[in-house]
Amino acid sequence: MSKPIILLDLNFTLVSDSELKDTQRGSFAQKIALENYRQWLVDLMRPYTVLLCTVRPIRYQAQTLARIAALTGWQPQEAYFNSTGNWRGYIVKAAYLEQHIFPKHGTPDAQPYYAIESSVYTKRMYIERGIPAKSILQGEVWTALPFS
């Protein structure tokens, strides 16, 4: 069987300091310009196909991806940003699966996936679709991906 495709959450997963956004002054774009990422997670994911799935609005996609590349030297193979007005991650990300990811990469019975996701509701949605999912706890640093 092939290596799993990683479905990667952005805020509170790849972004290491998401909790600071509420205390920072400035526009959302200014806050993105200050955010940092978990380099150790990037390093663990390098050998895998990674699909970044976020509810962050699509108008911040270019800025976010440029910031990730500048700070980590890495980019996900694909990135799905929110073009709807819906902020419920489990609904937005379920649509990514059904409309984009499964048609392109296959369903979980044909292609293994693994989700690294902060939201309990979105993790539940992934698990209901046959995709294992795990969160990174505050202060936690992994030495290997959970499925490796």
Side-chain angles (χ1 to χ4, degrees), residues 38-95:
R38 289 185 167 98
Q39 185 67 49
W40 61 263
L41 180 58
V42 167
D43 293 340
L44 292 175
M45 295 186 302
R46 284 186 193 278
Y48 296 88
T49 298
V50 178
L51 312 182
L52 182 68
C53 300
T54 180
V55 296
R56 183 172 288 180
I58 197 165
R59 69 180 171 271
Y60 300 112
Q61 181 172 352
Q63 179 189 5
T64 301
L65 293 175
R67 175 102 176 139
I68 292 169
L71 292 186
T72 69
W74 170 86
Q75 287 281 268
Q77 282 74 18
E78 296 172 24
Y80 297 94
F81 282 70
N82 193 355
S83 62
T84 73
N86 194 327
W87 295 105
R88 292 177 294 216
Y90 66 96
I91 293 173
V92 172
K93 294 177 184 184

Side-chain angles (χ1 to χ4, degrees), residues 18 33 63 78 89 107 115 132 146 148:
S18 291
Q63 179 189 5
E78 296 172 24
T107 58
S148 58

Side-chain angles (χ1 to χ4, degrees), residues 62-143:
Q63 179 189 5
T64 301
L65 293 175
R67 175 102 176 139
I68 292 169
L71 292 186
T72 69
W74 170 86
Q75 287 281 268
Q77 282 74 18
E78 296 172 24
Y80 297 94
F81 282 70
N82 193 355
S83 62
T84 73
N86 194 327
W87 295 105
R88 292 177 294 216
Y90 66 96
I91 293 173
V92 172
K93 294 177 184 184
Y96 296 159
L97 290 175
E98 302 302 327
Q99 297 169 14
H100 304 286
I101 297 169
F102 291 164
K104 182 174 182 178
H105 298 282
T107 58
D109 59 331
Q111 167 60 55
Y113 292 89
Y114 195 90
I116 305 175
E117 171 62 50
S118 62
S119 165
V120 65
Y121 302 108
T122 306
K123 282 194 308 189
R124 184 179 310 136
M125 178 276 297
Y126 283 135
I127 291 166
E128 288 170 355
R129 285 165 173 76
I131 300 170
K134 182 167 175 57
S135 297
I136 299 171
L137 302 176
Q138 181 74 20
E140 188 175 29
V141 176
W142 298 348
T143 57

